[in-house]
Amino acid sequence: MSVTLNAHQVGRMLDRTADHIADEYTPVLHGIRIEADATFLYAVATDQSTLAIARYRHHGLDGAPIARTLPARALPALRRWLTDQPGSDPVTLTLADSKIRFTAPHGEMTLTVDDDQKYIGWRGLVRDIIEQTAAGTECACPALTTQMFGRFAAADERLRVWTNPGRQPVLLAGEDFLGAQMPVRSRHEGFDTGLADDLDHVRNLWDDSPTDADGLTPAPMPTGSRPLHDASRTPTDTVEALLHQTMRSTHDLIEESSDSPKAVAAHAAAGVMAWTAYRYLDALHRADPKLAAQIIAEVDDELDSGEIGEFAYDAATAAGLDPQKWQDDLEAETTPSVPDTSATER
């Protein structure tokens, strides 16, 4: 089973979807799904909040349709290899024995893949989204240039969007913020010859692929959650995590047996600290949302490093405190005492 595109097209497909890959806590989505039918090669990625699908018309499919997930850990090396190939050179993807081999005139690269790994039913999902969008649309949707999206990144954590017909500006509103973006001209005015004009056009373009390219039943969208120790990178997610932890600790405190004083103390401390952190974060976010987001990202990096004990020691020293005494006291509490047997021996 093999399919061929040029190197530029394969690299472009990875670039257009890589930012939408889920993290390692959702294994089925931690990579880019490659699927080939009789007409197109697709690249699909989703993190459950966003979905990206890129496709190119291939040069020919040899054998049965292809459907495998390229693991996220292998993608940087694959992208570098593709960059080293002339963009117009053909790259053939060949599937065999839990491997995908990328073959070009000037090199070859092989990735290990899981032949049994399913993926979400993205085709049905896309069809549902298109139909739902069409049902609630009363006007033509404007075309927006993505180069301007980044200008609103600092506006607010979330923005609500309203679209207007024709060449009217798109309205964006946040907390104490308003924005607008002018649409670009449509293909009828000479530009964007590959850009769909309306939802009927979108439906026609994307409704010509088989329901299930690999012949298997697609997996449902996973619902797994992150580990309790994993930090959030946005104020909204952090607030949710802190309030959840406060309620969880309060519940566990009530349920915990009185025979476990250390466990009771741990639940109480966790609840108090989570609530305190929430109150501080709420105040900081009201005063300076941008600073709150920056601090949350820094804390996430610090927790990922696994060195918060050292960070706390340095911070205490900088504050003029005596962290060495705290450490000595903790060691004394956890070191079992040795009974004095000298009198008995004598």
Side-chain angles (χ1 to χ4, degrees):
M1 295 179 284
S2 64
V3 64
T4 301
L5 274 76
N6 67 43
H8 168 76
Q9 291 172 328
V10 178
R12 176 70 171 143
M13 292 175 71
L14 300 183
D15 292 343
R16 298 173 82 181
T17 54
D19 288 340
H20 302 266
I21 295 174
D23 58 32
E24 64 272 22
Y25 302 115
T26 313
V28 69
L29 303 180
H30 190 49
I32 293 179
R33 185 70 167 182
I34 296 294
E35 298 189 4
D37 57 29
T39 306
F40 294 101
L41 178 67
Y42 298 85
V44 185
T46 179
D47 57 8
Q48 300 177 280
S49 296
T50 64
L51 170 68
I53 305 163
R55 75 179 186 184
Y56 278 107
R57 190 178 298 272
H58 54 64
H59 302 168
L61 177 66
D62 182 10
I66 295 173
R68 294 294 186 274
T69 300
L70 304 181
R73 64 181 180 276
L75 293 175
L78 174 60
R79 191 63 186 90
R80 288 192 297 269
W81 181 84
L82 289 166
T83 301
D84 291 338
Q85 314 307 314
S88 59
D89 276 6
V91 173
T92 299
L93 286 68
T94 304
L95 176 64
D97 299 328
S98 300
K99 306 283 186 183
I100 287 187
R101 185 171 65 251
F102 295 80
T103 306
H106 303 285
E108 183 177 288
M109 185 173 187
T110 300
L111 302 183
T112 300
V113 295
D114 184 353
D115 288 338
D116 298 323
Q117 185 178 36
K118 293 185 178 182
Y119 200 73
I120 63 168
W122 61 268
R123 288 174 172 80
L125 180 62
V126 166
R127 290 191 182 97
D128 289 344
I129 293 173
I130 292 174
E131 295 304 326
Q132 291 168 5
T133 304
T137 300
E138 299 178 357
C139 60
C141 296
L144 302 177
T145 173
T146 56
Q147 294 177 346
M148 296 183 183
F149 286 174
R151 301 182 185 182
F152 294 99
D156 213 338
E157 182 189 351
R158 297 180 180 181
L159 294 176
R160 194 172 297 279
V161 180
W162 287 269
T163 61
N164 294 298
R167 287 187 47 77
Q168 299 301 313
V170 170
L171 176 67
L172 305 97
E175 184 177 355
D176 298 318
F177 176 85
L178 277 179
Q181 181 173 333
M182 284 296 296
V184 296
R185 290 196 289 173
S186 72
R187 72 182 206 150
H188 292 306
E189 295 169 292
F191 293 109
D192 303 312
T193 56
L195 187 64
D197 290 316
D198 51 40
L199 282 171
D200 286 336
H201 192 184
V202 172
R203 184 188 294 108
N204 292 335
L205 286 173
W206 289 89
D207 199 33
D208 56 359
S209 59
T211 302
D212 185 11
D214 57 6
L216 302 174
T217 302
M221 183 69 79
T223 57
S225 59
R226 289 170 172 264
L228 292 177
H229 66 270
D230 194 53
S232 303
R233 293 194 66 89
T234 67
T236 299
D237 290 344
T238 305
V239 164
E240 180 180 358
L242 291 173
L243 293 178
H244 187 192
Q245 182 60 51
T246 301
M247 295 182 64
R248 179 187 182 92
S249 297
T250 303
H251 175 270
D252 291 345
L253 176 63
I254 296 174
E255 296 294 323
E256 188 64 56
S257 170
S258 59
D259 296 333
S260 306
K262 286 189 176 181
V264 170
H267 293 314
V272 168
M273 290 301 178
W275 178 251
T276 302
Y278 160 71
R279 293 287 285 138
Y280 290 159
L281 175 60
D282 183 58
L284 176 60
H285 188 259
R286 291 175 184 275
D288 191 337
K290 186 175 181 179
L291 179 59
Q294 176 185 335
I295 295 299
I296 287 171
E298 291 176 0
V299 170
D300 177 59
D301 291 337
E302 291 166 353
L303 292 175
D304 281 344
S305 74
E307 300 175 355
I308 56 175
E310 289 83 351
F311 295 153
Y313 190 100
D314 294 342
T317 301
L321 304 173
D322 188 1
Q324 186 59 51
K325 183 179 182 305
W326 301 344
Q327 186 167 316
D328 293 341
D329 291 344
L330 288 172
E331 291 177 355
E333 291 177 6
T334 56
T335 302
S337 59
V338 179
D340 185 2
T341 61
S342 59
T344 304
E345 292 174 353
R346 289 196 299 270

